[in-house]
Amino acid sequence: MNRKLQLLYLIEQYCNGKYDTQTFSSLMTKIYYMEKDDSLSKKEEEILSPLAHCADYFSPYSSDHEIYSGFTSEEEVKQLTRSTYKELLSYYNVDSFEKTILQSHR
């Protein structure tokens, strides 16, 4: 699965409650920043970049938030993921990414 499909799958699964925020944030950061390929368009990068940044700065620890106000909370990650998911669904004009992901395995 290419980077784009991995990100679409991850976001959809997180929105459906299949991942906790810590795992989602770790995977989002890894896939977005470290597993580079040419599968994302400029528009897709534009949509996904704020979410990747938010996930990268997620911390479940209140002590981190006291030290640096740039850390993001679980609620911030959830809200931004939901809005990004809706924007991606609209961009692709689909109700779910399930078919897109399944078709990629054929």
Side-chain angles (χ1 to χ4, degrees), residues 38-88:
D38 295 331
S39 61
L40 292 176
S41 69
K42 275 193 163 196
K43 179 63 177 174
E44 291 162 336
E45 291 268 4
E46 182 182 301
I47 293 169
L48 291 166
S49 179
L51 178 58
H53 180 81
C54 181
D56 192 27
Y57 282 88
F58 167 69
S59 175
Y61 307 109
S62 59
S63 59
D64 286 345
H65 294 268
E66 291 169 10
I67 295 169
Y68 177 61
S69 64
F71 282 111
T72 57
S73 68
E74 182 169 14
E75 191 54 38
E76 289 172 300
V77 173
K78 284 181 179 181
Q79 287 179 357
L80 188 54
T81 304
R82 282 188 218 108
S83 66
T84 301
Y85 181 55
K86 288 177 185 175
E87 187 174 358
L88 288 166

Side-chain angles (χ1 to χ4, degrees):
M1 214 182 321
N2 65 32
R3 179 175 168 226
K4 175 173 35 180
L5 291 175
Q6 288 181 68
L7 290 168
L8 296 177
Y9 174 83
L10 178 64
I11 291 166
E12 187 163 77
Q13 293 300 302
Y14 179 65
C15 286
N16 291 331
K18 305 293 183 188
Y19 287 99
D20 62 74
T21 304
Q22 182 73 48
T23 303
F24 168 79
S25 294
S26 177
L27 289 170
M28 180 74 193
T29 300
K30 178 181 179 255
I31 296 165
Y32 186 83
Y33 290 114
M34 295 179 211
E35 296 184 12
K36 294 284 189 178
D37 66 19
D38 295 331
S39 61
L40 292 176
S41 69
K42 275 193 163 196
K43 179 63 177 174
E44 291 162 336
E45 291 268 4
E46 182 182 301
I47 293 169
L48 291 166
S49 179
L51 178 58
H53 180 81
C54 181
D56 192 27
Y57 282 88
F58 167 69
S59 175
Y61 307 109
S62 59
S63 59
D64 286 345
H65 294 268
E66 291 169 10
I67 295 169
Y68 177 61
S69 64
F71 282 111
T72 57
S73 68
E74 182 169 14
E75 191 54 38
E76 289 172 300
V77 173
K78 284 181 179 181
Q79 287 179 357
L80 188 54
T81 304
R82 282 188 218 108
S83 66
T84 301
Y85 181 55
K86 288 177 185 175
E87 187 174 358
L88 288 166
L89 290 174
S90 175
Y91 177 71
Y92 292 112
N93 196 28
V94 296
D95 296 327
S96 166
F97 295 118
E98 187 176 347
K99 286 182 184 177
T100 304
I101 293 164
L102 288 174
Q103 288 173 349
S104 74
H105 290 294
R106 291 182 184 169

